Amino acid sequence: MDQPDSPRSGVTRRAFIKGVIASGAVASSAAYLFRAGGEIFGQTSAPGSVERLITLNVNGQMRRVDVMKQETLAMTLRYKLGLTGTKIGCDRAECGACTVLIDDVPHYSCSVLTHTVRGRKVQTIEGLANGDQLHPVQQAIVDEQGFQCAFCMPGFTMAAVGFLKTNPNPTRQQLAHGISGNLCRCQDYDKILTAFMRGAEYMRRSS
Amino acid sequence: MADTKYIGQNYTPPDLVAKVTGRARYAEDFRAEGMLFAKLLTSPMPHCRVRNIDASAALAMPGVKGILTADDLPDLGPNVERALTNEPFYAGEPILAVAAVDELTAAEAVEKINVDLEPLPFVVDPLDALRPGGPDARTTGNVWGAPMPGGVGPNAASPVKTIKWTGEQFADADEGRLPMGEPTEQWAYGDLDAGFGNAALVLDETMVVQSTGHHPMETRSAMAYWQNGKLYIHASTQSVAQTLPNVARWCGIMPQQVVLISEYTGGGFGSKGGGAVSTCIPAMLSKKLNGVPVMMRITREDENYIGRARTNMSGRTRIGFAKDGRITALDLFIVQDNGSYGPMGDHRSAGLAASIIYQPQAMRWRAISVLTNTPPRSQQRSPGPMQANGQRAKLTSAFIVEALDKGKQAFRWDERKAYSGQRRGAKVRGVGVAVGPHGSGSIGFDSLMTLRPDGKLYVQSGVGNLGTHSVMDLARVAAEVLAMPWEKVEVVWGDTGKGVPWSCLSVGSQTTHAMTRANFAGANDLKRKLQEIAAKDLGGSPDDYELSNERVHRKGAGGGLTYTQAAKRAIELGGKYDGHEVPEDINVMTKGAAAKHAGLGVMGVAKDNYPRNGTTYSFVIGFAEVEVDVETGKVTLIDYLGVGDVGTVINPRSLLAQIKGGSCLGIAHALQQKWVFDPKYGLMLSRRFHYSKPLTILDIPATMNADAVGLPDPETPVGARGVGEPPVGAGYGAVLNAIADAVGVDVFRRAPVTSDLVLMSLENKKRMHEPLRAHV
């Protein structure tokens, strides 16, 4: 978080967070804040506020993108950069479906402001494979037929890839702890662990 | 089927690489030029009436394009839930929707709308609704009556009635026993009085099972637009073919005017069985705005309210046992919290399941389904049988004994039983076993496939792709019958624009049974046509020909046609061969789909007309070992095994995943997942994942195993039955029984069995929890 609250800008970081808290606490439908690019409605962008047109390093590519100051990385990826592989399951850091790697560390992209990842390396599920060559962890999922509906799969996979970078040879239990920030409602956890243990093996072999 | 090449073998489903690379597109992943966003205004009160809506300030905002209220939606008939309402029956029920150029503008517009609401009486606990003078959930009554004459199925239409029990009848409630007054439905068989008279032991117990939300990972977001009078809708559903007419009904148009795209569904568990009624909101907003695309993202918070939940059931069981353990009499009374819509039939399924599992010599089932001002329910994976764990149904087959024997050995039951109940330090182990039964297959659906000159077999699949792989598995049957290399089979699914046959609802463990039958019929139709084409060209009778190596040829190694040649000949011959003539008995949807594919190759198209004698049920036996810490009340699941009796296994890896995953849902019900309501204000306190506590990867046992007996069902040609639901009751029952084995049967009378509940009961040496409250 390197953006100061600016009393001159329409929506401050504090107000944004307050909005998030309020909408989470009442039966309100105003639970999500999102603004597409282009004309701005209901908010003036005062001089001195955050620059909107920024460059992001996503999956090894430098992408110019118009980002509102309160926009989350999940929304930028999905609605500005067309990277819909990153899923939004809860939008409140509960389920992990939106997990991406930021400088190789798994983060919930629903809870990261896009402006905070400037100058950092973002990797999504789309950036794992090398052309048609699947990442070892992806190959392991295919080989073990990991996951069922697979809506949680991208987030789980990024969490596992991130964890395996720090612990390439985990026990099943260590791996479970490493990816315990992700939910699967098909509750295919046993097979998910089997697939990722194989993924760990493939990664060790390929490195 | 003997000597199979594909059935019973693992394979890689053709959608897996798209899923693992992020290319698979779920409903919210679609974009369209000029797409607007919709936001909902939902009811802040559990029951109220909309007196007035003033949207003038919202509509005057730049970027706000339109508003949709209940008045814009077709009337679906009395007591039928619509996507928007002028009389919300639960807090969180959508009243209106606003479309704007972006989501923030839509959300701001919603905040600017003044809705004048008249509060009405409400009730969130079913027993409160039955008390003398208690509040009713609706102005028209408090319970669903028995199904109206001619009603069929577990959720047949019923009238809303008012039933109150007397203060005397409620006397039992003060002692923690479920009161029993006038039921709305009942059945009985055998001599109940004699059964209790002959019993060596009679128990009278009350048990409460809580509601839980389905909470699929993908919420019911949808995007819709209109072109040339047709509605194109990207939605999340468990059942593509069956959702199409529902969308048409919700929007007041003909099914032929709808193109439904749902290639990937992020889970449903019963909550998206025939689609979601809310998906008509973006469709109707778009219609009002001249067809411009509208995306409605459903937040997790919205999903909690509109996303369906399992019914809550409070049950009272009087049960008589003979000395040998045989149940001589079972008298079951169920109070079902039906929620705000419905009518739900879980209470009926629960009664049937109890009669099947326990096989009592005499049984009576009485039940009442109570309306409450809580979010609407739908069937949730094993609806009813999980909660039960009439009539004696004749089953197509049951190999429960084989499954029990197999599991007992694999689980080393006797070895574990020897140390269960013994305290070691603060820990005590327990083992439990339970049978999860569930109806597992419907009949009479259609199949459609074409063998084309490119040498490929195109199998049209009208079921949903919700993660069970049955959407693909059904094509394995066609490949088997037609001796077709699997690499040359293209499964076409998830888009009604591409033509799908009338298929079953992918709910209630139906699909594998229903659609393997249908595709067996369709593939055999195609096979017969190949034989006839060969006989026409090469002489002899069709029966002289067989299929192998992508050829139809004379038996042995005689002459014949390649599939490519035969496909070309079919197109030349026309008529029934290439689908220009189709059977009379297929559904109108299948006829429409067949018309799209006529002339493309040899067509296999047929309705499943195979006979079936009896009701189809699948069973999973759950075996569980738990460890209870008597100082903290914490229950840890140590080991679990599920053994299925589900007929022939089509896709082993997927089957075992279904058994384990389904068991996990039951385990979650037994240990942690629940709804909590504030009864004073009628508001839910357990919104979102954090508070409703679904199972995480740290909650599953260290070892988790599954197996199946694999004995074919004799009443279906492929031998296969469904498996989605039975493991839920197995997991639930096995864990509860294991806890009872560890710390005694008197510790709990409700689920989930949380730490505080265990600890309080152990410390006070009696059950301490309030047994009857519905949502605590």
Side-chain angles (χ1 to χ4, degrees):
Chain A
M1 295 274 206
D2 54 6
Q3 301 308 318
D5 287 345
S6 163
R8 286 172 298 170
S9 61
V11 176
T12 63
R13 183 162 60 97
R14 193 183 300 122
F16 168 71
I17 293 167
K18 270 162 68 182
V20 169
I21 293 167
S23 59
V26 296
S28 165
S29 56
Y32 194 76
L33 300 175
F34 166 72
R35 185 178 297 274
E39 199 181 348
I40 311 162
F41 296 106
Q43 177 189 349
T44 52
S45 188
S49 61
V50 178
E51 183 191 354
R52 293 221 344 222
L53 199 59
I54 61 173
T55 303
L56 297 179
N57 178 346
V58 180
N59 296 331
Q61 293 179 324
M62 301 308 284
R63 305 280 301 263
R64 289 286 280 173
V65 57
D66 180 2
V67 177
M68 297 304 300
K69 57 180 80 67
Q70 73 274 35
E71 190 170 313
T72 64
L73 181 56
M75 291 306 278
T76 306
L77 292 170
R78 288 182 52 77
Y79 283 89
K80 303 280 177 68
L81 299 177
L83 297 170
T84 54
T86 298
K87 304 302 181 197
I88 296 178
C90 72
D91 221 1
R92 287 292 181 284
E94 291 180 311
C95 76
C98 63
T99 303
V100 300
L101 298 187
I102 300 172
D103 290 338
D104 287 343
V105 178
H107 281 75
Y108 293 153
S109 64
C110 76
S111 302
V112 172
L113 291 174
T114 306
H115 277 279
T116 66
V117 302
R118 279 187 288 177
R120 300 169 74 185
K121 206 175 67 192
V122 177
Q123 193 180 19
T124 71
I125 189 76
E126 290 93 342
L128 268 192
N130 183 6
D132 287 340
Q133 175 83 36
L134 294 179
H135 184 280
V137 172
Q138 289 174 311
Q139 188 58 51
I141 294 168
V142 172
D143 291 350
E144 290 289 344
Q145 200 184 309
F147 297 89
Q148 292 177 27
C149 83
F151 195 82
C152 68
M153 186 201 276
F156 251 115
T157 303
M158 298 315 290
V161 169
F163 174 74
L164 291 172
K165 282 175 196 277
T166 61
N167 184 352
N169 194 10
T171 64
R172 212 173 151 88
Q173 200 171 9
Q174 286 168 336
L175 177 61
H177 272 275
I179 56 176
S180 62
N182 292 62
L183 288 178
C184 165
R185 288 296 291 140
C186 303
Q187 298 167 108
D188 202 10
Y189 294 126
D190 192 70
K191 188 148 60 65
I192 290 171
L193 278 174
T194 303
F196 285 147
M197 285 301 280
R198 179 171 290 265
E201 185 192 322
Y202 287 177
M203 274 180 80
R204 289 195 301 273
R205 241 193 265 161
S206 68
S207 63
Chain B
M1 295 177 81
D3 301 327
T4 55
K5 190 172 173 195
Y6 300 120
I7 292 173
Q9 298 301 315
N10 288 325
Y11 71 106
T12 302
D15 63 341
L16 195 49
V17 170
K19 283 173 169 176
V20 84
T21 52
R23 289 201 299 267
R25 289 169 94 191
Y26 298 72
E28 201 214 309
D29 299 337
F30 289 88
R31 306 286 175 264
E33 186 66 31
M35 188 170 86
L36 305 177
F37 286 81
K39 288 299 285 182
L40 296 169
L41 187 153
T42 61
S43 174
M45 300 178 199
H47 190 193
C48 54
R49 191 177 287 124
V50 176
R51 278 192 293 228
N52 185 48
I53 295 172
D54 178 5
S56 52
L59 290 170
M61 286 173 61
V64 174
K65 299 294 185 186
I67 180 173
L68 191 78
T69 69
D71 299 337
D72 298 313
L73 298 179
D75 184 1
L76 302 178
N79 293 329
V80 179
E81 181 185 10
R82 295 193 298 164
L84 301 169
T85 183
N86 287 323
E87 187 189 342
F89 287 140
Y90 62 96
E93 181 162 12
I95 293 171
L96 59 84
V98 173
V101 291
D102 59 51
E103 214 171 42
L104 182 56
T105 307
E108 285 171 357
V110 164
E111 296 299 314
K112 285 199 162 70
I113 294 174
N114 280 322
V115 183
D116 181 14
L117 299 172
E118 175 193 354
L120 294 172
F122 67 88
V123 61
V124 294
D125 191 303
L127 287 181
D128 290 343
L130 293 170
R131 282 182 191 276
D136 293 343
R138 294 192 181 187
T139 53
T140 51
N142 66 337
V143 299
W144 285 114
M148 296 198 260
V152 288
N155 304 305
S158 311
V160 173
K161 293 171 65 173
T162 305
I163 291 179
K164 300 288 173 191
W165 292 351
T166 65
E168 260 172 39
Q169 286 166 333
F170 263 92
D172 271 357
D174 300 333
E175 293 162 38
R177 285 201 297 269
L178 183 71
M180 295 184 288
E182 178 192 348
T184 46
E185 288 167 77
Q186 55 185 313
W187 51 255
Y189 63 77
D191 187 337
L192 207 63
D193 291 336
F196 283 119
N198 297 334
L201 172 70
V202 175
L203 299 175
D204 180 350
E205 296 290 355
T206 292
M207 180 81 195
V208 176
V209 189
Q210 296 220 44
S211 287
T212 64
H214 294 68
H215 275 308
M217 286 303 298
E218 183 200 15
T219 60
R220 53 209 60 228
S221 299
M223 193 269 275
Y225 57 90
W226 296 70
Q227 268 177 7
N228 297 330
K230 264 196 173 183
L231 167 65
Y232 293 79
I233 184 162
H234 296 270
S236 182
T237 178
Q238 294 175 218
S239 327
V240 174
Q242 295 262 354
T243 299
L244 188 81
N246 289 344
V247 170
R249 191 165 46 84
W250 296 328
C251 295
I253 55 178
M254 299 298 291
Q256 296 84 337
Q257 291 175 271
V258 182
V259 176
L260 169 67
I261 299 109
S262 179
E263 289 171 301
Y264 295 89
T265 290
F269 318 110
S271 73
K272 303 171 184 166
V277 66
S278 57
T279 54
C280 80
I281 295 172
M284 295 303 277
L285 265 169
S286 171
K287 190 178 189 186
K288 227 178 154 177
L289 298 169
N290 296 321
V292 62
V294 178
M295 164 74 80
M296 184 171 71
R297 301 189 331 123
I298 295 297
T299 65
R300 181 56 55 187
E301 185 102 2
D302 292 336
E303 182 75 11
N304 179 65
Y305 294 109
I306 68 173
R308 315 292 115 166
R310 184 187 293 280
T311 63
N312 160 290
M313 278 188 211
S314 301
R316 183 161 168 185
T317 315
R318 202 163 150 247
I319 185 163
F321 294 92
K323 276 217 159 62
D324 63 0
R326 181 76 207 261
I327 295 171
T328 56
L330 179 66
D331 191 6
L332 174 63
F333 197 107
I334 294 173
V335 176
Q336 171 171 272
D337 179 353
N338 170 93
S340 45
Y341 284 96
M344 296 297 301
D346 292 15
H347 55 320
R348 295 177 198 132
S349 312
L352 281 173
S355 79
I356 289 167
I357 309 170
Y358 302 115
Q359 298 281 309
Q361 289 165 341
M363 177 169 170
R364 177 169 62 163
W365 168 85
R366 291 175 293 168
I368 186 164
S369 187
V370 184
L371 283 152
T372 59
N373 298 104
T374 58
R377 309 303 203 276
S378 76
Q379 290 72 24
Q380 183 183 105
R381 204 167 179 176
S382 197
M386 189 209 85
Q387 290 99 319
N389 265 26
Q391 303 96 325
R392 282 184 275 191
K394 184 202 175 296
L395 304 181
T396 55
S397 71
F399 301 104
I400 299 174
V401 173
E402 287 80 353
L404 272 168
D405 286 346
K406 189 165 195 167
K408 187 182 176 189
Q409 203 174 5
F411 198 68
R412 295 178 287 110
W413 175 266
D414 292 334
E415 197 180 310
R416 291 172 198 254
K417 191 69 194 150
Y419 62 73
S420 78
Q422 293 168 22
R423 193 169 158 169
R424 290 178 195 165
K427 307 285 175 63
V428 58
R429 295 279 178 103
V431 289
V433 59
V435 180
H438 202 279
S440 60
S442 46
I443 59 173
F445 294 95
D446 296 343
S447 161
L448 178 66
M449 59 190 80
T450 43
L451 180 60
R452 302 187 193 171
D454 64 3
K456 286 184 174 178
L457 176 70
Y458 294 80
V459 180
Q460 309 299 120
S461 183
V463 298
N465 184 12
L466 63 160
T468 64
H469 305 124
S470 55
V471 64
M472 315 294 172
D473 288 351
L474 54 84
R476 302 281 282 177
V477 174
E480 195 80 59
V481 171
L482 297 168
M484 195 74 195
W486 180 244
E487 318 76 77
K488 294 196 173 174
V489 177
E490 296 280 342
V491 186
V492 183
W493 82 95
D495 185 345
T496 62
K498 293 176 180 167
V500 296
W502 183 235
S503 310
C504 71
L505 278 169
S506 281
V507 302
S509 307
Q510 293 184 50
T511 315
T512 294
H513 181 267
M515 300 319 290
T516 56
R517 286 169 69 100
N519 279 278
F520 190 73
N524 274 297
D525 178 57
L526 203 160
K527 178 180 177 179
R528 187 68 192 171
K529 286 169 182 166
L530 285 173
Q531 290 169 315
E532 287 178 13
I533 291 167
K536 270 181 199 294
D537 279 15
L538 304 169
S541 96
D543 290 331
D544 297 336
Y545 291 85
E546 64 181 0
L547 311 181
S548 72
N549 298 322
E550 298 164 66
R551 291 176 74 239
V552 51
H553 56 83
R554 280 191 187 268
K555 283 180 180 163
L561 299 170
T562 65
Y563 279 179
T564 298
Q565 289 167 333
K568 286 179 183 159
R569 279 297 288 145
I571 296 167
E572 287 163 19
L573 288 166
K576 69 176 181 180
Y577 294 106
D578 71 347
H580 278 99
E581 289 166 22
V582 296
E584 275 304 308
D585 62 352
I586 58 171
N587 182 279
V588 62
M589 183 183 285
T590 316
K591 284 179 181 167
K596 283 189 167 77
H597 295 93
L600 295 178
V602 200
M603 182 178 288
V605 55
K607 181 184 176 186
D608 156 25
N609 287 318
Y610 299 109
R612 172 177 67 166
N613 184 10
T615 305
T616 307
Y617 259 75
S618 277
F619 302 91
V620 168
I621 321 292
F623 297 84
E625 179 175 348
V626 301
E627 183 176 81
V628 182
D629 185 321
V630 296
E631 289 178 356
T632 64
K634 184 176 165 51
V635 179
T636 306
L637 182 56
I638 302 292
D639 200 352
Y640 183 83
L641 168 68
V643 182
D645 164 26
V646 298
T648 299
V649 177
I650 301 286
N651 176 348
R653 208 160 37 184
S654 194
L655 172 84
L656 301 184
Q658 285 296 312
I659 292 178
K660 290 179 191 175
S663 295
C664 279
L665 181 58
I667 292 163
H669 274 277
L671 294 178
Q672 58 191 64
Q673 209 180 336
K674 61 179 178 179
W675 260 8
V676 182
F677 267 85
D678 177 337
K680 187 172 178 192
Y681 297 104
L683 300 179
M684 187 186 284
L685 304 174
S686 53
R687 304 181 309 268
R688 312 192 59 82
F689 286 132
H690 179 68
Y691 299 104
S692 59
K693 301 224 177 302
L695 216 63
T696 76
I697 203 164
L698 298 178
D699 300 317
I700 62 162
T703 55
M704 196 165 192
N705 293 294
D707 203 348
V709 292
L711 298 168
D713 187 308
E715 291 293 332
T716 184
V718 184
R721 298 192 302 253
V723 67
E725 340 279 314
V728 184
Y732 174 75
V735 170
L736 290 186
N737 289 339
I739 299 169
D741 184 47
V743 291
V745 295
D746 286 333
V747 168
F748 62 90
R749 280 295 178 273
R750 68 177 306 132
V753 186
T754 51
S755 304
D756 56 329
L757 190 153
V758 174
L759 198 56
M760 277 198 303
S761 297
L762 288 177
E763 285 189 336
N764 291 282
K765 296 192 167 52
K766 62 175 182 179
R767 291 196 293 276
M768 291 298 289
H769 54 283
E770 217 279 49
L772 291 176
R773 280 265 307 281
H775 313 284
V776 292

